[in-house]
Amino acid sequence: MPDRALDLRRKLEILADAAKYDASCSSSGTEKRDSRDGGLGSTEGMGICHAYAPDGRCISLLKVLLTNACVFDCAYCINRATSNVQRARFTVKELVELTLDFYRRNYIEGLFLSSGIIRSPDYTMEQILRVARTLREEHGFKGYIHLKTIPDADPLLIAQAGAFADRLSINVELPRAESLAALAPEKDNRAIRRAMATLRTHIDEAKEAKAEHAAGRTRAAPPRFAPAGQSTQMIVGADASSDAQILDSSANLYGSYRLKRVYYSAYSPIPDAPAVLPPAAPPLIREHRLYQADWLMRFYGFNAPEIVEGGTGMLDLDVDPKLAWALRHRERFPVDVNRADRESLLRVPGLGAKTVERILSARRHRAIRLEDLARLRVSLRKVAPFLVAADHRAAPGLLDRADLRALLTPEGGLAGQLPALPYKPVQLSLFGAAA
C-alpha cells in the first residue's frame, strides 16, 4: 500500500475519533434532492456516523474534523492547544476525495465537517467553505452537508457557507457566559450570539423568499441558505450549571434564534485535564433526562421552570421529567381521554405527541377504551393512574398514594390493578408492515 494511502488512513483515524465529542450530528429537516437529473448523491434513502431523519430513515454521515490542531486552549477540549495529542490535518482535496470515495462505496450519504481553529477564524472558515463548495460545484454532490461555523469568522464567509450547507451550527459550548469565560477565555459568548443572530436572519430571509416564489409573487429563484436551519451543542457537567440553568439557556436559544436543535453532551474527562474541571463524568442518565426535558419544551407545551421545580434545580434521574411533573401535580389528574383537550392529553405520562393526535382523530368516531390505547402501543401501566377511559377509572385513592411513584416503576405492582384486556398487545416488528 502506498505511503500516501497509509497517511490518509491514519489521518482519518485521528480526525474521525476527534470528532466524536461533537454530539450535534443530525441530517433531518432539509430539502429533498437526488442525482437522477445529474450530479452525485442524494438526501434520501438508506445508507462513520448514523443520524436519523424524522420519518425514521437512517442516514450515514462522514463525521470528521478538517484538523484537530487548534490555537485555542479551552480547558474542556481534548484538542486544546496545550493538549498532548497527535495532530493531523486534511487538505481540502483529500477531504473532498475521501467524501466522494466513501459515497461511491455506499458507506455514507453526507458529510458532517468541523475543525479546530488554525491560523485564524477566517482562514479556518475559508478551508471549511472550500470543501463544501468543491463538493457542490465541481462534483455536483447533492448529499447532506452539515458545517460547523466559526463565530469570529467574517460574516461574508458564513453567508457563503449557507449556500452550500444543509445545516449550519455554532456551539455555545457551556450554558452560562461566565462558565465560558472561565473555561474557554479565548471564546466570546457575545460573538457566538451575534453569529447565531446572523444565521437566523439569513435563514428567515431565504424562507420568506421561497414562500414568495411559491406563491408566484416573484419570478427569480429564491436564494438557498441552510434549509435545515441551525443547531448548537452544550456540554453538560463541565461546570456547576444546574439542569434548570441549562434548560433556561436552551429555551432562550430556541426563542431568540429559532434553533432546530440544542444537543447535550455529557462532559467526558480528558487526559491531563486542568484542575478546574471535575474529575469524573456526570451520570449519562442526566444527559438523557435533559433530552427528554428538551422534548417537552419543543413538542409538549412545557416551559423550562415548570419542568425543573423545587429547590435543587436538578431533574429527577429516577423517572422521566413528564412523570416527575405529573407526580408533583396530581390535582391535574385524572384526565378524560374522551373529553380532554390536546394540551391536557399531552401532559399525561405515557402519551406521546403522535399518540395524542391519533386519539383526537379516533374519538370523533368512537369512545376510546383501554384496549384502543394498547393497540397504539401505549404503556397502560404508566397512563392508567392519570386518565379516565370509556372502560376505565383508576381505583379510588390511587393518585393520592404515597407509593405511587414506586408502583410506576417496572418492578412496581400497578400492572395487577389493570383490567384484563381481550388480547395481548404485541411489539411491532422492526421489518414487518405496521398493524
Side-chain angles (χ1 to χ4, degrees), residues 4 33 55 60 89 97 117 132 142 147 174 215 225 227 236 249 255 273 312-313 323 336 342 363 401 403 413 423:
R4 178 182 173 278
R33 297 189 305 276
D55 59 3
S60 301
R89 176 181 172 183
E97 290 178 349
I117 308 297
K142 296 186 178 181
L147 299 180
L174 295 166
F225 193 92
V236 176
S249 179
T312 67
L323 176 56
D336 190 331
R342 175 183 283 100
R363 75 185 192 184
R401 288 182 58 159
D403 62 346
Y423 73 99

Side-chain angles (χ1 to χ4, degrees), residues 123-143:
Y123 177 80
T124 307
M125 195 67 227
E126 285 172 357
Q127 299 302 299
I128 291 173
L129 180 57
R130 281 183 59 199
V131 172
R133 177 187 283 121
T134 303
L135 283 168
R136 295 289 196 218
E137 293 186 342
E138 296 184 18
H139 298 279
F141 184 70
K142 296 186 178 181

Side-chain angles (χ1 to χ4, degrees), residues 266-278:
Y267 166 69
S268 178
I270 55 178
D272 305 316
V276 293
L277 292 172

Side-chain angles (χ1 to χ4, degrees), residues 4 25 56 80 121 126 190 262 269 284 303 319 364 386 393:
R4 178 182 173 278
C25 186
R80 67 188 187 279
E126 285 172 357
R190 291 171 298 179
V262 174
L284 197 57
N303 60 52
V319 297
R364 297 192 192 109
F386 299 103
R393 181 176 290 273

